[in-house]
Amino acid sequence: MTATIIDGKAFAAKVRAQVAGHVARLKEEQGIPPGLAVVLVGEDPASEVYVRNKGRQTVEVGM
């Protein structure tokens, strides 16, 4: 069995582009964009970074 190198950044960019396309289609067909709701419990700095990054990424794809 040989190893396969996966470019995580390129794969993530491809997925975000696909999601952006789906978001655009939903906006056009339904008239409203999908959204993301997050409930953050506690004050874990790593969780806060994770949630902040998810928020930024949803804006990037048009949500």
Side-chain angles (χ1 to χ4, degrees), residues 15-51:
V15 170
R16 277 193 299 277
Q18 290 174 340
V19 170
H22 292 300
V23 168
R25 190 184 82 239
L26 283 170
K27 281 182 180 180
E28 183 178 318
E29 292 175 359
Q30 303 298 323
I32 57 172
L36 175 70
V38 177
V39 175
L40 184 59
V41 178
E43 297 181 9
D44 181 14
S47 293
E48 291 172 0
V49 169
Y50 179 82
V51 169

